[in-house]
Amino acid sequence: VYKRQTQRVTATFGRFYHDLPIYASGFVHNADSVFDFIAYDHDPREDPTGGQVYIGDFLLDENLDLKGQHYDEFTLGYERIVGSGATVGMRGVYRTLREAVEDANVTGTDDFAWGNPGRGVLSDYPEATRDYYALVLTASGAVSQSVELRASYVLSRTEGNYSGGFNSDLAIPFPNANGAFDYLENMENADGLLPSDRTHVFKFSGAWRSRVGLTAGTFVTLASGTPRSILEGSSHGSPFYNFAQQRGTAGRTPWLWDVNLRFTYDLGHALKTTWRPRLIVDVFHLGSPRSEVNYDQVRNFNQDGAGNQIDPNPTFGLATRYQPPMTLRAGLEVQF
């Protein structure tokens, strides 16, 4: 960190390792570990029959060459004070995945193994990649003794072939076993814009304090949409899917905006008491447009023996999640 009166330059580097979840060890060390599930090409709530049952013995071989999952981050920033105390800043961020731990099929066998994609027992697979680049602009300060404002803008890009511990393509919440590297054919067209990529994100917050115990604040977000992909059936059947075209090239979700408000009133100011009762009113998602956030990206569930796509998904392209509705919360907080 370099400081000179009203200016500051910062530079950082860090390497961050991830803790593996406990259940991952169970797959390797528990001889009775069995993972089974049923895959349907239709809505099982309407017809629970006709599903394909998968049962796997997941006692995996020990991998002595396994490297811990980690990423590196580099930042370079500049800040300065302007006017009577406002602060403006600019910061560049580069974050890159160095190693990932995933379970994957050992090419040419029916076995799965834990490993680092691109090395050792999983050397037939491409390396797991996830790169984040960002330019962050910030401004904050007091407009007056009663008003404070803060704003930021982030221009960023997130790309690679690994969305992270949570598989955002298929909403699979199993870190290090989320289906990203299950079979080699699943990696075709898998490199591109990742599901968390948002090119533009604007944020604004402000607070106003009166002399009679009333405070009002707001937090506003405006963000561009995320990339969409098209998934199709693989030779291994559902739920193992391939990218029909390069990841992240099937358009984007809509822009999103969100407005939240908070009002507080200090009753102790009016009651002249040493207790500090405070009324709180929160308004979340004011005027929520209920816009689509995610879509079903699976176009076909399976392929036949000739490689033709079959079992079309009737909900392909439909929204799977929307912005939450507007809600109001009121409460009383007492400090003594």
Side-chain angles (χ1 to χ4, degrees), residues 289-312:
R290 303 298 304 280
S291 295
E292 299 90 345
V293 176
N294 286 331
Y295 296 85
D296 191 337
Q297 301 184 107
V298 178
R299 185 169 62 187
N300 291 85
F301 290 113
N302 295 292
Q303 63 176 244
D304 61 21
N308 301 309
Q309 292 297 309
I310 58 175
D311 300 330

Side-chain angles (χ1 to χ4, degrees), residues 184-261:
L184 186 58
E185 70 174 275
N186 303 149
M187 303 309 299
E188 186 175 352
N189 295 323
D191 190 71
L193 297 177
L194 292 172
S196 60
D197 177 69
R198 289 191 186 274
T199 307
H200 308 285
V201 177
F202 303 86
K203 293 183 179 180
F204 170 82
S205 62
W208 169 76
R209 298 177 180 85
S210 73
R211 297 181 179 180
V212 294
L214 178 65
T215 300
T218 184
F219 185 80
V220 180
T221 303
L222 175 65
S224 58
T226 56
R228 298 173 61 179
S229 300
I230 298 177
L231 299 170
E232 60 183 7
S234 71
S235 63
H236 300 280
S238 175
F240 306 105
Y241 300 109
N242 299 333
F243 288 91
Q245 61 191 49
Q246 184 181 9
R247 175 201 287 272
T249 59
R252 284 183 176 265
T253 60
W255 279 67
L256 299 177
W257 59 267
D258 188 47
V259 178
N260 302 276
L261 304 174

